């Protein structure tokens, strides 16, 4: 429940008189009441800002109360929100249908106004909290971020996702969050017939079934959420969409690798806030290092723990006159991983759409990515 003094109750009913009655009664009892006139509107409000309790009529325009209840129970943001169903039907079959849909309690219209606050109070008192098992089953999100393009973050993201799958045999998702110019489809030779836009357009229906329909399967066993096919579609993806997508992915996959775009827009800030681990990819060049230093300052202001940020020095064998000690002094942060330049084999593998992990697992680049993945698997497992 929110920490403010007034618990928030969402009433969903197309009858203005009922909404007004509920508002009057519950407001007088110390609750903050918000309202919606249809199932779709109510669902949208609930997942954007989950209330403490939902009161819904059974008969609604659009989706009915039973369908709405099922969707609320499937969505991670509202899974544990208590639901009180309103109905004009007094037969037992209607109540059974409501309970089967996931309702916590039932009240028949017309109801005595003085009864409603007690029903609400009792429901809030026994609302189930997420169990420790639910928390431990939540997947882990690894964000791969670079402060400029060309540092190798996409190559690392793709190969890292494959290693997670090979090493653990668990569910692995790869999310191309470079919404303007993401090219994970090229790296994996996937046709972008389904993209993140298919989820954004139906974000209020987002559940496990819809997610599985849109995620693209790869022969390695990972599932991929591709970036928009056309760059102009990128603006259709909003920050709130990214938050909902991240929550859905970690609830349905054990490991989620996110290839972020090199920007500090609100969408990327939301993604960063949902990360368990952030791989900050740099190369031994003045420009990327300067930008990385600025990012670390921003991360501190965002409240991100320095312990969850791992600096990955890509092309570590480049002879450009900047050694690791200088990089660590400049960034005031240790370099956690070093990866040598993959050279032509990495470029060739990207052009073919076959990651180096799959085509040349013994290559030094592939071996060092495996080392990164093994270290992260151990750390993320200990964190559970």
């Amino acid at each position: 429940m929110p920490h403010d003094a007034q618990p928030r109750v969402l009433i969903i009913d197309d009858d203005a008189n009922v909404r007004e009655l509920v508002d009057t009664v519950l407001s007088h009892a110390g609750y903050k009441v918000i309202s919606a006139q249809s199932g779709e509107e109510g669902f949208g409000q609930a997942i954007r800002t989950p209330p403490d309790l939902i009161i819904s009529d059974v008969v609604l325009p659009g989706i009915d109360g039973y369908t709405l209840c099922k969707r609320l129970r499937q969505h991670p943001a509202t899974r544990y929100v208590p639901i009180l169903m309103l109905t004009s039907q007094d037969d037992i079959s209607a109540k059974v249908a409501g309970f089967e849909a996931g309702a916590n309690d039932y009240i028949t219209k017309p109801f005595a106004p003085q009864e409603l606050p007690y029903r609400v109070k009792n429901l809030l008192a026994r609302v189930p909290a997420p169990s420790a098992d639910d928390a431990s089953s939540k997947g882990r999100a690894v964000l791969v971020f670079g402060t400029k393009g060309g540092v190798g973050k996409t190559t690392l993201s793709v190969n890292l996702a494959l290693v997670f799958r090979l090493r653990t045999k668990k569910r692995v998702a790869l999310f191309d969050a470079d919404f303007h110019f993401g090219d994970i489809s090229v790296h994996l030779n996937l046709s972008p017939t389904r993209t993140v836009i298919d989820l954004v357009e139906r974000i209020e229906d987002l559940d496990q079934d819809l997610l599985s329909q849109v995620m693209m399967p790869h022969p390695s066993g990972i599932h991929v959420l591709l970036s928009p096919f056309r760059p102009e579609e990128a603006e259709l993806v909003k920050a709130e969409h990214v938050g909902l997508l991240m929550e859905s992915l970690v609830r349905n996959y054990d490991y989620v690798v996110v290839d972020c775009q090199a920007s500090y827009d609100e969408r990327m800030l939301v993604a960063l806030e949902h990360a368990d681990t952030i791989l900050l990819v740099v190369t031994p060049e003045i420009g990327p290092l300067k930008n990385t230093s600025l990012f670390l300052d921003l991360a501190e202001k965002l409240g991100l723990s320095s312990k969850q940020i791992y600096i990955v020095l890509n092309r570590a064998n480049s002879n450009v006159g900047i050694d690791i000690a200088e990089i660590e002094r400049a960034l005031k942060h240790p370099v956690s991983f070093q990866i040598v330049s993959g050279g032509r084999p990495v470029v060739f593998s990207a052009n073919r759409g076959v990651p180096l992990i799959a085509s040349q697992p013994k290559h030094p680049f592939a071996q060092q990515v495996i080392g990164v993945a093994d270290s992260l698997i151990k750390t993320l497992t200990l964190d559970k």
Side-chain angles (χ1 to χ4, degrees), residues 19-329:
R19 295 198 306 272
E20 183 177 355
L21 174 61
V22 171
D23 191 344
T24 301
V25 171
L26 292 184
S27 295
H28 183 72
Y31 298 96
K32 180 178 177 59
V33 180
I34 53 179
S35 64
Q37 300 181 40
S38 69
E40 289 86 351
E41 181 188 357
F43 182 77
Q45 288 194 31
I47 64 172
R48 283 192 297 271
T49 308
D52 297 294
L53 183 138
I54 296 170
I55 301 174
S56 175
D57 192 6
V58 169
V59 180
L60 294 168
I63 61 172
D64 62 26
Y66 299 137
T67 303
L68 171 63
C69 192
K70 291 177 182 178
R71 291 187 182 181
L72 290 167
R73 286 289 169 256
Q74 291 171 348
H75 198 282
T78 52
R79 181 172 297 169
Y80 299 103
V81 176
I83 300 173
L84 173 62
M85 299 291 286
L86 295 177
T87 183
S88 55
Q89 299 175 333
D90 196 24
D91 60 281
I92 188 66
S93 62
K95 294 183 178 181
V96 170
F99 289 128
E100 287 180 342
N104 300 89
D105 199 1
Y106 229 96
I107 190 168
T108 304
K109 296 190 293 185
F111 54 86
Q114 61 269 30
E115 178 185 2
L116 187 60
Y118 290 100
R119 293 286 192 111
V120 170
K121 181 180 179 180
N122 289 335
L123 278 177
L124 289 174
R126 66 175 191 259
V127 57
S131 68
D133 289 340
D134 290 331
S136 64
S137 65
K138 177 174 172 283
R140 293 295 185 256
V142 177
L143 267 68
V144 184
F145 191 86
T147 56
K148 70 180 292 292
V151 296
K153 62 180 181 60
T154 299
T155 300
L156 176 60
S157 299
V158 169
N159 284 276
L160 192 63
L162 264 65
V163 179
F164 281 151
R165 173 65 181 173
L166 290 169
R167 286 299 214 217
T168 68
K169 307 301 181 186
K170 292 187 176 182
R171 300 165 300 173
V172 178
L174 177 58
F175 179 13
D176 190 347
D178 188 344
F179 300 121
H180 284 96
F181 301 109
D183 58 359
I184 279 179
S185 61
V186 175
H187 282 250
L188 291 174
N189 196 26
L190 292 174
S191 176
T193 54
R194 303 188 298 275
T195 76
V196 66
I197 299 300
D198 293 286
L199 293 180
V200 166
E201 291 176 343
R202 298 178 59 191
I203 198 69
E204 293 185 356
D205 299 324
L206 181 60
D207 58 15
Q208 184 178 10
D209 289 339
L210 179 59
L211 188 67
S212 64
Q213 291 171 25
V214 175
M215 299 288 286
M216 299 288 291
H218 183 262
S220 65
I222 69 172
H223 292 125
V224 188
L225 181 55
L226 295 174
S227 62
F229 179 65
R230 292 184 293 274
E232 62 269 21
E233 293 180 320
E235 299 310 317
L236 297 175
V237 185
K238 308 300 182 184
E240 58 266 29
H241 298 150
V242 173
L244 293 170
L245 290 169
M246 291 291 296
E247 291 170 6
S248 183
L249 287 168
V250 296
R251 288 186 182 276
N252 288 283
Y253 292 89
D254 300 293
Y255 295 98
V256 179
V257 179
V258 185
D259 182 21
C260 295
Q261 61 190 42
S263 74
Y264 298 143
D265 70 13
E266 190 177 357
R267 295 173 298 188
M268 289 305 100
L269 297 182
V270 169
L272 289 166
E273 289 170 356
H274 282 77
D276 295 287
T277 295
I278 299 167
L279 297 184
L280 190 50
V281 184
V282 302
T283 52
E285 305 167 67
I286 295 297
L289 291 175
K290 176 186 175 183
N291 293 340
T292 299
S293 179
L294 295 173
F295 172 83
L296 291 171
D297 290 340
L298 174 64
E300 184 177 357
K301 292 176 182 176
L302 291 174
L304 299 175
S305 170
S306 61
K307 294 181 180 179
Q308 70 184 115
I309 299 175
Y310 296 83
I311 292 180
V312 180
L313 179 60
N314 195 18
R315 302 165 197 154
N317 57 336
S318 301
N319 186 17
V320 294
I322 304 177
D323 60 27
I324 293 176
E326 289 178 280
I327 292 172
E328 292 180 330
R329 280 197 300 271

Side-chain angles (χ1 to χ4, degrees), residues 6-27:
Q6 290 183 294
R8 296 172 65 256
V9 176
L10 170 62
I11 168 66
I12 307 171
D13 199 304
D14 62 332
D15 188 329
N17 293 325
V18 173
R19 295 198 306 272
E20 183 177 355
L21 174 61
V22 171
D23 191 344
T24 301
V25 171
L26 292 184
S27 295

